[in-house]
Amino acid sequence: MSQSGPVYSPDGRHLWDGQQWVPIASSTFLPSQPTAAAPWYRKQIASPGMVMIMLVIVVLLGGLMVHAAQEEQKSERQSHYIYCQTYGEGDLQC
């Protein structure tokens, strides 16, 4: 039975020359098993810079939403004040 290629040791650090195991230079080291791709849950989805940019955007949007809510409350108070000035107390507490 003949083999078509070189025979490497299980750890990939030696080559069988037919009589003995010969160490392989570190620059030509071949791993015994091909490295598998990282599973989907270990792959880096976003760089740290991208995470920071997204965080800034979320904070700015949150601030804009709070500001809009405060402006709406201010507008409601002004409308209530104008109503009270125009129509008196009526059904609303002025």
Side-chain angles (χ1 to χ4, degrees), residues 50-60:
M50 183 61 77
V51 171
M52 288 299 295
I53 289 171
M54 292 186 325
L55 181 63
V56 167
I57 289 172
V58 167
V59 168
L60 289 175

Side-chain angles (χ1 to χ4, degrees), residues 7 10 17 19 22-23 25 29 31 33 35 38-39 42-43 60 63-64 70 79-80 82 87-89 93:
V7 178
D17 68 359
Q19 295 180 359
V22 180
F29 171 76
Q33 297 289 330
T35 55
R42 288 198 178 170
K43 290 184 180 179
L60 289 175
L64 287 174
Q70 289 173 344
S79 297
H80 181 75
I82 292 171
Y87 300 106
E89 291 187 26
Q93 294 179 347

Side-chain angles (χ1 to χ4, degrees), residues 80 84 88-94:
H80 181 75
C84 288
E89 291 187 26
D91 292 338
L92 297 175
Q93 294 179 347
C94 294

Side-chain angles (χ1 to χ4, degrees), residues 24-81:
I24 299 174
S26 62
S27 63
T28 60
F29 171 76
L30 298 174
S32 61
Q33 297 289 330
T35 55
W40 66 270
Y41 55 86
R42 288 198 178 170
K43 290 184 180 179
Q44 184 174 0
I45 296 171
S47 66
M50 183 61 77
V51 171
M52 288 299 295
I53 289 171
M54 292 186 325
L55 181 63
V56 167
I57 289 172
V58 167
V59 168
L60 289 175
L61 288 176
L64 287 174
M65 291 173 65
V66 167
H67 179 71
Q70 289 173 344
E71 287 297 317
E72 184 177 345
Q73 287 177 348
K74 182 179 173 183
S75 176
E76 288 176 8
R77 283 194 304 267
Q78 287 174 344
S79 297
H80 181 75
Y81 176 76

